Amino acid sequence: MRICETFVSIQGEGLTVGTPAFFIRTGRCSVGCRFCDTAYSWNSGEEILVGEIILSASSSPVPTVVVTGGEPLEEEDLPLLLNGLLDAGRRVILETCGHFFRDDLPEGVRIVLSPKPPTMGVSFPEESVLSFLKSYRQVELKFTLFSEEDLRLIKNFLKKNSVLIPRPVVFQPLHLPTENYSDTCRRVVEMLLSDGDLLSQFDFRVIPQVHKFLGIK
Ligand code: SF4
């Protein structure tokens, strides 16, 4: 598998925020988001045998492993890695933008789907996100957003597919180079709290990227 880097940190995003974790960042992504904060991973790192990655993760005292990217679903051997980590007794979280649906992921893995909004300049992967929601039980839905246009698209998606949506939904303010992140977070919180429709219909959490504030990976 192509691996960009491994490191130990705390989970900075989503419903498992704050959890100490061993991170495995894969070294490929062809999605091409305009404001990707890990563009260094798109075509990076080296090919490492799956057995070696599992050994290195299971030698760490940290029981949670986050497989992130890049886009991990572009790695053919991903199921091998995930199964190996589960067999080694790890709690496994897989992060994906949801652009590429796969039906060969083990059930024991928590899948964090984070489809990118219009601000990121890529098309919203509605069909493949729906396939994930229909196919897997342990799914967290985490929407990054920056603008009113982003929120409009996300709300349409949520309303249209209400029965499939896992609760609570996470909203994560997007960190863009054009605005201070604290200001973005305040603005996005205000935007969400002024939306009575959303407040009354969806159980959601607003969780900024904590690692950005801490200045860690
Ligand atoms: S899917 Fe993730 S890694 Fe790939 S370009 Fe978008 S934000 Fe970056």
Side-chain angles (χ1 to χ4, degrees), residues 113-133:
L113 277 180
S114 184
K116 307 306 172 199
T119 293
M120 287 297 236
V122 293
S123 60
F124 189 81
E126 179 157 350
E127 285 312 311
S128 63
V129 168
L130 289 176
S131 298
F132 278 104
L133 295 177

Side-chain angles (χ1 to χ4, degrees), residues 29 31-33 36 38 42 70 97 116 120:
C29 182
V31 178
C33 300
C36 176
T38 49
W42 287 3
C97 67
K116 307 306 172 199
M120 287 297 236

Side-chain angles (χ1 to χ4, degrees), residues 74-93:
E74 292 190 24
E75 300 303 317
E76 199 183 330
D77 286 342
L78 181 65
L80 211 58
L81 174 67
L82 299 175
N83 277 309
L85 291 168
L86 290 171
D87 290 347
R90 304 286 117 168
R91 173 192 188 203
V92 185
I93 299 170

Side-chain angles (χ1 to χ4, degrees), residues 73 78-79 82-83 94 102-107 109 111 132 136:
L73 270 75
L78 181 65
L82 299 175
N83 277 309
L94 170 67
R102 289 176 66 148
D103 63 2
D104 58 357
L105 306 175
E107 263 302 332
V109 169
I111 300 173
F132 278 104
Y136 295 101

